[in-house]
Amino acid sequence: MKRSRTGFTLVELLVVIAIIGMLVGLLLPAIQAARESARRSSCQNNLHQMAIAAQNYHDVKQVFPPGVSASGSYSTHAYLVTFMEEKNVAERIDFKLAYNHANNLFAFNYQVPGFRCPSDMDLLPADAGGRNNYYTNAGTTILNGAVPTDPSNGNFGMPAQTGIYFAKSAVKIRDVIDGTSKTVAFSEKLLGDGTNAIASRESDTFQPGTYPKDADEALTQCRATDTNDVSKQGQSIVGAPWIRGYHSTTYYYHVLPPNDLSCMYPPGRISTTAGSRHAGGVNTALVDATVKFVSDDVSVPVWRALGSRNGKDIVPVDY
């Protein structure tokens, strides 16, 4: 009698392998989406904690910290670390010296976990300092710094900033007349690629070489920049060090909508822009510490209304 053998035929094995491949193909996007959801939640929590730290600072000092210190050196972040369970770092900052003085190198290089979004990548050189993905809202005008009083200054007559944190700012809760639930305090921004030899549209700061007189001209001229032209590179070391108060390290403007271009113009006019690697928009923390996701498709007027503390703008509920 012949003994029959049981087993899979080649065709059956191929069918099983094909089915497994299809299942894996369906499962991987779901896993990636779940991971990104977790990273986005972590990012939102970081922003919330920064906004709470700012409120605690206000409770103690009766004012929000400046966007750039009076010395023109330190960032808002340098003042907030003591309220973010990072007193070991705060105690190593000597505000009487420059941010990059040898006495401040520990803080300069220290990576505060709460300043990093897990969805972003890091291509910056090691000596760039501690990284930062969460920028303060300077406002809706393009002046980089305090309003000059000298008529011979190229920025004389430019309007003052309208945000919460800007050069030598001293904004109080009562100054946010548009409402703490309708004004952004912090938003995300991507780290730069670290080199002017290549152009990264989503993260670098470009130089159109133009002289915009207001936010509308800045928007138009920035968008007209050829981002493939490396001669238009302005700043590629974007997002470090967090201790320095500067437009490419710690503060941004509500001139262009989220994930649009960032630009810098002479003489000291800026339109750096919020951005993230979360699909479709950026996380923001409002002054009242509420965290909201704002779409890339938000209209420019609404985005600017969110960036102004005192513009008496109307912010729709469903922005």
Side-chain angles (χ1 to χ4, degrees):
M1 295 179 63
K2 294 182 178 180
R3 297 174 62 184
S4 62
R5 293 184 178 183
T6 60
F8 295 107
T9 66
L10 179 60
V11 173
E12 289 172 330
L13 285 172
L14 291 174
V15 170
V16 170
I17 292 171
I19 292 173
I20 292 173
M22 292 175 60
L23 292 174
V24 170
L26 293 172
L27 187 60
L28 281 177
I31 293 174
Q32 291 171 345
R35 287 177 176 173
E36 170 54 23
S37 179
R39 290 192 291 263
R40 179 168 157 179
S41 294
S42 175
C43 186
Q44 291 172 334
N45 181 64
N46 288 342
L47 282 165
H48 178 68
Q49 294 305 319
M50 286 189 72
I52 292 295
Q55 289 186 356
N56 289 338
Y57 182 99
H58 190 283
D59 288 344
V60 174
K61 306 288 188 179
Q62 302 304 303
V63 66
F64 288 117
V68 184
S69 64
S71 66
S73 185
Y74 289 94
S75 65
T76 302
H77 302 58
Y79 294 94
L80 292 184
V81 285
T82 190
F83 297 92
M84 297 178 65
E85 299 184 354
E86 296 287 356
K87 287 190 176 181
N88 62 315
V89 184
E91 291 171 354
R92 302 285 292 273
I93 299 176
D94 189 342
F95 286 96
K96 298 187 295 295
L97 302 172
Y99 75 91
N100 58 351
H101 188 276
N103 290 7
N104 287 318
L105 284 183
F106 176 83
F108 181 102
N109 290 308
Y110 184 83
Q111 182 58 66
V112 177
F115 291 163
R116 286 285 284 119
C117 174
S119 292
D120 196 13
M121 62 181 69
D122 185 358
L123 300 176
L124 295 178
D127 61 358
R131 280 49 165 161
N132 172 51
N133 281 116
Y134 306 118
Y135 280 44
T136 59
N137 165 30
T140 59
T141 64
I142 58 175
L143 179 63
N144 185 37
V147 177
T149 57
D150 182 359
S152 66
N153 188 295
N155 287 319
F156 182 78
M158 294 287 290
Q161 274 302 348
T162 59
I164 307 298
Y165 305 97
F166 46 93
K168 303 179 183 179
S169 61
V171 174
K172 301 180 179 181
I173 289 263
R174 68 174 183 234
D175 298 324
V176 189
I177 63 175
D178 287 354
T180 59
S181 65
K182 297 179 180 179
T183 306
V184 172
F186 304 94
S187 189
E188 299 178 87
K189 187 164 175 58
L190 296 172
L191 300 182
D193 58 34
T195 174
N196 278 0
I198 60 174
S200 298
R201 185 187 188 282
E202 71 278 7
S203 61
D204 290 345
T205 305
F206 296 90
Q207 294 185 116
T210 57
Y211 296 80
K213 68 176 184 295
D214 55 31
D216 289 335
E217 282 195 359
L219 181 150
T220 301
Q221 294 168 8
C222 190
R223 284 179 171 173
T225 305
D226 180 4
T227 57
N228 294 313
D229 182 354
V230 294
S231 70
K232 299 297 184 181
Q233 290 274 280
Q235 287 287 339
S236 293
I237 298 181
V238 174
W242 58 260
I243 193 174
R244 182 189 183 192
Y246 185 57
H247 68 83
S248 286
T249 58
T250 52
Y251 60 89
Y252 77 102
Y253 294 72
H254 279 246
V255 174
L256 286 85
N259 289 309
D260 213 312
L261 289 176
S262 290
C263 290
M264 53 195 295
Y265 324 80
R269 300 174 190 181
I270 306 294
S271 63
T272 50
T273 305
S276 81
R277 298 198 186 279
H278 309 301
V282 294
N283 290 309
T284 62
L286 304 178
V287 178
D288 69 355
T290 301
V291 176
K292 289 194 174 184
F293 189 76
V294 180
S295 169
D296 294 341
D297 296 328
V298 64
S299 70
V300 171
V302 170
W303 181 241
R304 291 181 182 173
L306 288 166
S308 171
R309 71 181 184 276
N310 55 3
K312 299 180 181 180
D313 315 279
I314 301 299
V315 177
V317 176
D318 59 348
Y319 65 85

